[in-house]
């Protein structure tokens, strides 16, 4: 089934950004607001302490599962916020590349933020998302 989300590209803004600048969903779409997907294993322990890439990959897996449980996929995501516990741009970029690759050509509007600390011991990455589906 085709996604209800329509990505909007702006020819008035820089094409350097690796995401669409805006997205819309039809008025009859059901919005799904997802809690931050964390890099936790099935027992609730943080996976891969110290590894931004592995934690980002686990966050994508967690996000994908939460979306499936809500009746959606990554293609239904309308926006993301990627939080990375680091003040080094290279760490943010490493996590971002995992997220970008997971979304492929469905490059939704996104915000990438460096933060001081996240909620779980040894947690370095968290991904928030909003999705839209038409039932």
């Amino acid at each position: 089934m085709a996604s209800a989300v329509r990505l909007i590209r702006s020819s008035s803004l820089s094409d350097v950004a690796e995401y669409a600048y805006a997205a819309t969903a039809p008025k009859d779409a059901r919005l799904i607001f997802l809690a931050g997907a964390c890099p936790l294993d099935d027992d609730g322990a943080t996976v891969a302490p110290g590894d931004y890439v592995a934690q980002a990959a686990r966050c994508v897996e967690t996000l994908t599962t939460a979306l499936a449980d809500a009746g959606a996929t990554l293609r239904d995501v309308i926006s993301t916020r990627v939080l990375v516990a680091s003040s080094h741009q290279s760490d943010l970029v490493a996590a971002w590349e995992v997220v970008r690759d997971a979304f492929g050509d469905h490059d939704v509007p996104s915000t990438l933020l460096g933060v001081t600390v996240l909620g779980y011991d040894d947690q370095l990455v968290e991904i928030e998302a909003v999705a839209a589906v038409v039932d």
Side-chain angles (χ1 to χ4, degrees):
M1 177 179 216
S3 174
V5 175
R6 184 172 68 92
L7 301 179
I8 300 168
R9 315 238 179 251
S10 176
S11 61
S12 303
L13 299 169
S14 171
D15 62 357
V16 172
E18 296 177 329
Y19 46 80
Y21 277 99
T24 63
K27 65 181 179 180
D28 59 340
R30 174 173 54 95
L31 296 179
I32 303 166
F33 297 88
L34 293 111
C38 299
L40 304 178
D41 65 19
D42 293 340
D43 296 322
T46 302
V47 303
D51 188 336
Y52 290 92
V53 169
Q55 286 199 13
R58 180 60 183 178
C59 289
V60 169
E61 290 174 19
T62 300
L63 178 65
T64 302
T65 299
L67 285 163
D69 290 346
T73 70
L74 288 177
R75 295 210 59 88
D76 298 310
V77 171
I78 196 166
S79 69
T80 67
R81 181 176 297 124
V82 180
L83 308 169
V84 182
S86 179
S87 60
H88 299 283
Q89 187 178 32
S90 60
D91 297 332
L92 278 70
V93 170
W96 169 251
E97 287 175 347
V98 172
V99 175
R100 182 198 61 215
D101 291 349
F103 278 85
D105 66 352
H106 186 68
D107 53 347
V108 299
S110 298
T111 299
L112 176 63
L113 297 168
V115 298
T116 304
V117 66
L118 291 166
Y120 293 99
D121 291 341
D122 299 315
Q123 182 183 2
L124 300 172
V125 181
E126 187 163 335
I127 305 170
E128 296 177 14
V130 177
V133 295
V134 176
D135 293 321

